[in-house]
DNA sequence: CTTGACTCCGTAGTATGGTACAGGCCGTAC
DNA sequence: GTACGGCCTGTACCATACTACGGAGTCAAG
């Protein structure tokens, strides 16, 4: 059976060597067997595992959440519904973040619209709005 | 002239005492004069300054950006357009974040829709999609 | 057999925005 | 005068996800 060094694994998965070790410390990937020199000998299955982590990260899961996701499927009690639940929670998180960003954007747009973009900073309606008391004393 | 202790300042601005000291270290508020005991004696103007910081944070500015915003208005060369520019950059940042979140959400929704939410985790289309190789070996 | 690339471990540092002590001094009310 | 809170400094710690570094051992090619 073929094994890979940490460098090969990192290369195939498109991550850094340090990242692989970091994921091991964090419990996201199994500790691989070692050769007599202490070198890690990875089964090739670690590569798709790393890709899994990568994709889940792209979907906005944190490493802790990904760890949960990974452990979910080791538990025979877990159902598909459990996984779906995680995904739906994450969707709700994302919606909440988007709401917050929309609020911010709306406020900022309003501020920039109120500003002609000319004149000295003393008269800037943007700073005025942020700070109705402190300036112009 | 009235001065405030750090506790009073924090209370009026609705932040923690440690936060006030932290902002001082970070250069967001001036170092106040000290009494003979070493106690900080704040002018009341520090309160609106803290509120400014609070509002700017709510708009999504980082502490570093807020520091820039604060220094902008000390510079007589600064124009209103400079401030407007910062706000517009921030709006662009927010738009970018929202795009990214929309992408994530879309992918997640697609995954949850593909999942009936029943059955064992081995057959979960969500995990399958994250990881087309590793499982079911 | 040497050289260079790779790996090992442990520790520390990055950015962000604080929060939490410990140990000691200060100020005020009773 | 003494007790209790508030304040002082400095340091360490929280989460997040890595990244860097030093010093030493190892592997493979030439």
């Amino acid at each position: 059976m073929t094994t890979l060094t940490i460098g090969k694994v990192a290369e195939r998965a498109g991550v850094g060597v340090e990242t692989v070790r970091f994921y091991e410390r964090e419990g996201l990937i199994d500790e691989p067997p070692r050769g007599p020199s202490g070198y890690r000998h990875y089964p090739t299955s670690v590569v798709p595992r790393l890709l899994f982590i990568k994709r889940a990260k792209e979907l906005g899961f944190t490493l802790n959440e990904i760890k949960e996701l990974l452990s979910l499927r080791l538990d025979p009690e877990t159902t598909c519904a459990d996984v779906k639940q995680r995904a739906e929670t994450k969707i709700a998180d994302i919606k909440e973040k988007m709401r917050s960003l929309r609020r911010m954007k709306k406020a900022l747009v309003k501020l920039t619209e109120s500003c002609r973009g000319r004149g000295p900073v003393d008269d800037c309606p943007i700073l005025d709005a942020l700070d109705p008391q402190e300036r112009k004393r």
Side-chain angles (χ1 to χ4, degrees), chain A:
Chain A
M1 182 183 165
T2 326
T3 60
L4 301 169
T5 62
I6 195 169
K8 294 292 174 197
V9 164
E11 191 189 338
R12 288 201 193 183
V15 301
V17 166
E18 303 290 344
T19 304
V20 178
R21 280 200 279 259
F22 175 71
Y23 287 169
E24 182 182 314
R25 278 201 299 285
E26 297 295 306
L28 287 157
I29 57 178
D30 293 332
E31 291 186 32
R34 307 288 187 112
S37 63
Y39 280 26
R40 290 169 178 84
H41 293 315
Y42 287 100
T44 53
S45 62
V46 78
V47 177
R49 164 70 64 108
L50 287 168
L51 294 175
F52 178 105
I53 295 168
K54 235 179 148 180
R55 286 190 203 106
K57 261 163 48 72
E58 281 163 14
L59 289 177
F61 288 94
T62 66
L63 292 189
N64 262 331
E65 288 163 344
I66 294 168
K67 204 167 144 186
E68 279 175 31
L69 236 31
L70 288 166
S71 67
L72 271 187
R73 48 186 198 181
L74 292 179
D75 178 359
E77 296 295 299
T78 301
T79 62
C80 194
D82 295 329
V83 176
K84 189 168 181 172
Q85 176 61 47
R86 307 286 166 135
E88 279 167 352
T89 300
K90 186 47 65 180
I91 290 170
D93 288 356
I94 290 173
K95 281 184 180 171
E96 184 52 45
K97 274 184 195 144
M98 285 177 70
R99 263 194 295 281
S100 167
L101 287 176
R102 259 196 298 279
R103 257 200 315 279
M104 288 179 196
K105 182 164 154 287
K106 201 172 155 189
L108 280 170
V109 165
K110 203 175 151 195
L111 286 181
T112 55
E113 278 170 358
S114 72
C115 177
R116 299 174 341 281
R118 288 181 287 116
V121 75
D122 309 19
D123 290 328
C124 181
I126 298 176
L127 295 184
D128 280 354
L130 282 172
D131 175 10
Q133 304 303 322
E134 186 177 2
R135 298 167 67 239
K136 299 180 184 171
R137 275 177 300 109

